[in-house]
Amino acid sequence: FTTLILFAGFAFATAQVNLSFNPKEDTKYLYKMEITQNMKQTAMGYEIPMTHKTVTAFDMAVQEKSAAGTKINFIYTEIVYELSSTMMNIKYDSKKQSADTSQVDPKMWKEFASIIGKSFQDVIAPYGSVISVSGLNAIVDELVKNLGDASHSQ
């Protein structure tokens, strides 16, 4: 009897599920991704807890659909970056830029701010796999250019 239950449990655990990706054409969606990490760093015998949080939001505009895939344009609309520990407290929020910048270096603002409004395109298969991505190289080139400009402005 136990073997039967284990076998049944294993069969359910390995069952595959088919997901579908079926957004409506000519429709915009908000896609928001949040990553939070809690870490511990040891330096000179002292344990330093750190929290790192990144939030990225995109407007996801479905441009066209076919049986082969869905073409989507992603536009960066928001970036939040937070890093906190006993040694530092860095915060950046693209929607709440103010005089209180914590300890964010102005070069870092320029990097984050340069991403807002930039776009890239994906073609996604009906079951969610990514067929192609374009436009990211231009965003990386812009970031590298801004980093170079910032390092020369010191």
Side-chain angles (χ1 to χ4, degrees):
F1 181 71
T2 305
T3 305
L4 181 61
I5 290 181
L6 285 174
F7 180 74
F10 180 73
F12 286 119
T14 60
Q16 291 187 359
V17 175
N18 286 327
L19 302 175
S20 67
F21 182 73
N22 193 22
K24 294 180 182 175
E25 194 168 0
D26 296 325
T27 303
K28 271 190 179 177
Y29 299 89
L30 172 65
Y31 181 83
K32 197 167 195 173
M33 177 175 53
E34 181 175 322
I35 300 170
T36 302
Q37 298 174 309
N38 293 306
M39 303 168 277
K40 291 180 184 173
Q41 179 180 16
T42 303
M44 298 169 55
Y46 294 99
E47 190 173 90
I48 304 167
M50 299 173 68
T51 301
H52 174 245
K53 178 180 174 181
T54 306
V55 178
T56 309
F58 306 92
D59 275 343
M60 184 179 113
V62 180
Q63 295 180 321
E64 64 183 68
K65 290 179 70 172
S66 69
T70 302
K71 184 176 180 182
I72 300 173
N73 190 50
F74 290 91
I75 301 170
Y76 285 92
T77 59
E78 178 183 8
I79 293 178
V80 175
Y81 180 87
E82 297 177 8
L83 179 62
S84 62
S85 74
T86 54
M87 305 291 283
M88 70 180 111
N89 187 26
I90 298 173
K91 293 182 181 181
Y92 173 84
D93 187 331
S94 61
K95 292 195 176 211
K96 297 179 184 174
Q97 293 181 15
S98 68
D100 176 19
T101 58
S102 324
Q103 299 171 18
V104 176
D105 187 316
K107 290 175 275 196
M108 187 184 241
W109 295 346
K110 187 175 181 182
E111 290 295 304
F112 288 135
S114 72
I115 296 172
I116 303 301
K118 299 288 188 276
S119 65
F120 65 94
Q121 297 72 40
D122 282 358
V123 177
I124 301 176
Y127 290 102
S129 62
V130 176
I131 296 170
S132 68
V133 178
S134 62
L136 285 177
N137 287 342
I139 293 171
V140 171
D141 290 346
E142 179 79 12
L143 287 170
V144 169
K145 176 183 168 272
N146 286 334
L147 182 61
D149 291 347
S151 66
H152 289 95
S153 66
Q154 292 181 344

